[in-house]
Amino acid sequence: MTKRPVYLAAGGTGGHIFPALAVAETLQTRGYSAHLFTDQRGAKLLGSASSLPAVLHVIAAASPFQNGIIKRTSAFTKLAVGAVASLYHLLVRRPALIIGFGGYPSFAPLVTGRLLGIPILLHEQNAFLGRANHALAKFANALALSWPQTKNLPAVKHVEVTGIPVRQAFFEAAQTP
């Protein structure tokens, strides 16, 4: 029997994308297929990397905290479009879990996943819980933290300090003389 895929959702910066790739790499070694939701910034950051440990899905996303009604309306429209795209992927593949790494591109996949009854795990890389993860915490089954004294934590069911996920290549490079 094939294992159901695991979806990851990460903002378009290296602080969100690289920990997600480290988790995708580990999932791959354990026999899971990993899929990564991100926005255009994340796709640009990854470039044409052909050896990604996850299938890349680029969705529309933007921060709803922008100044001006036009920019804010545009951001909510992008989030809605990202939610429709996320819903399609999640309905077709029915993942076992969705892991969010913060940033607004993680918002639509995690909310739609929760509506579909898919378990949600959040990971916060910083010592202060970001806006997206703070808003998403109420939907999460558990929250993984990089730092034991992380600030801005809402009430969540289960919190675990796991550290920052790091790709295997960094450990291998550290051992090379």
Side-chain angles (χ1 to χ4, degrees):
M1 184 173 163
T2 307
K3 294 180 179 181
R4 290 171 43 204
V6 174
Y7 271 72
L8 311 167
T13 65
H16 300 295
I17 292 284
F18 295 130
L21 290 178
V23 171
E25 185 180 84
T26 299
L27 289 167
Q28 194 176 54
T29 64
R30 295 181 183 179
Y32 290 90
S33 67
H35 294 253
L36 174 63
F37 285 119
T38 192
D39 63 1
Q40 288 292 338
R41 296 172 308 146
K44 185 176 179 180
L45 178 69
L46 294 170
S48 60
S50 60
S51 62
L52 288 178
V55 177
L56 184 62
H57 303 287
V58 180
I59 60 171
S63 170
F65 297 104
Q66 299 187 41
N67 292 326
I69 191 71
I70 293 172
K71 287 183 179 180
R72 195 170 286 184
T73 302
S74 173
F76 278 109
T77 301
K78 287 179 181 179
L79 288 170
V81 169
V84 171
S86 301
L87 180 64
Y88 169 77
H89 285 286
L90 299 176
L91 280 172
V92 169
R93 292 187 183 82
R94 287 294 185 172
L97 172 70
I98 304 174
I99 306 171
F101 291 86
Y104 290 100
S106 67
F107 198 81
L110 289 158
V111 170
T112 55
R114 186 50 155 182
L115 291 172
L116 295 172
I118 300 167
I120 304 294
L121 169 66
L122 290 179
H123 185 275
E124 178 58 53
Q125 302 82 43
N126 301 299
F128 187 90
L129 196 70
R131 280 185 180 172
N133 274 349
H134 192 274
L136 291 164
K138 63 184 161 221
F139 302 114
N141 298 84
L143 177 60
L145 303 175
S146 293
W147 308 102
Q149 300 301 319
T150 301
K151 305 288 185 224
N152 195 34
L153 291 178
V156 291
K157 296 173 189 93
H158 184 75
V159 177
E160 186 76 31
V161 177
T162 61
I164 297 175
V166 179
R167 289 175 286 159
Q168 187 60 36
F170 286 98
F171 296 110
E172 292 166 2
Q175 293 180 4
T176 304

